């Protein structure tokens, strides 16, 4: 079955960097548009970025220029490089097929605090 395992989160100071990883299984990642989402406490899950099969990417305005999404189809993995982190980036981060609302993983917690 389709599964996602996210990792790489942590507690960091503002201005720090983190690289999140997502191991995908149960489908051919090379055929799927992939995305990272996040959910802060008390809010709804929101799209952060997506990457198409072609490599075309999209970012929400609040992370544009700071986050980079990438994919390694051979490893069935998706990554999110997060630079210049801000307290408002604090959330649990999830990866999934872009547009899917099924098969959510456990996510990885990112906390940005001084």
């Amino acid at each position: 079955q389709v599964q996602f395992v996210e990792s790489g989160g942590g507690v960091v100071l503002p201005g720090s960097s983190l690289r999140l990883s997502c191991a995908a299984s149960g489908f051919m990642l090379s055929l799927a548009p992939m995305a990272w989402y996040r959910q802060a406490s008390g809010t709804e899950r929101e799209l952060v970025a997506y990457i198409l099969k072609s490599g075309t990417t999209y970012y929400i305005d609040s992370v544009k220029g700071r986050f980079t999404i990438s994919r390694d189809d051979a490893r069935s993995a998706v990554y999110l490089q997060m630079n210049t982190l801000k307290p408002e980036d604090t959330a649990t981060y999830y990866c999934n097929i872009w547009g899917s609302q099924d098969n959510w993983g456990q996510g990885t917690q990112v906390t940005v605090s001084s």
Side-chain angles (χ1 to χ4, degrees), residues 87-100:
E88 51 263 43
D89 296 319
T90 294
T92 302
Y93 285 72
Y94 304 86
C95 71
N96 207 331
I97 297 170
W98 179 41
S100 174

Side-chain angles (χ1 to χ4, degrees), residues 40-109:
S41 180
T43 70
E44 293 191 352
R45 188 177 285 140
E46 67 169 348
L47 174 70
V48 175
Y50 66 71
I51 182 166
L52 304 182
K53 294 180 291 181
S54 63
T56 298
T57 57
Y58 165 85
Y59 302 91
I60 59 173
D61 286 345
S62 60
V63 308
K64 207 171 291 184
R66 301 188 297 120
F67 290 12
T68 302
I69 187 172
S70 61
R71 59 192 295 157
D72 185 340
D73 292 343
R75 287 186 164 82
S76 197
V78 185
Y79 307 99
L80 187 68
Q81 177 67 43
M82 306 188 297
N83 298 329
T84 319
L85 282 160
K86 302 177 180 180
E88 51 263 43
D89 296 319
T90 294
T92 302
Y93 285 72
Y94 304 86
C95 71
N96 207 331
I97 297 170
W98 179 41
S100 174
Q101 294 300 315
D102 299 323
N103 305 305
W104 294 100
Q106 293 296 309
T108 186
Q109 176 67 37

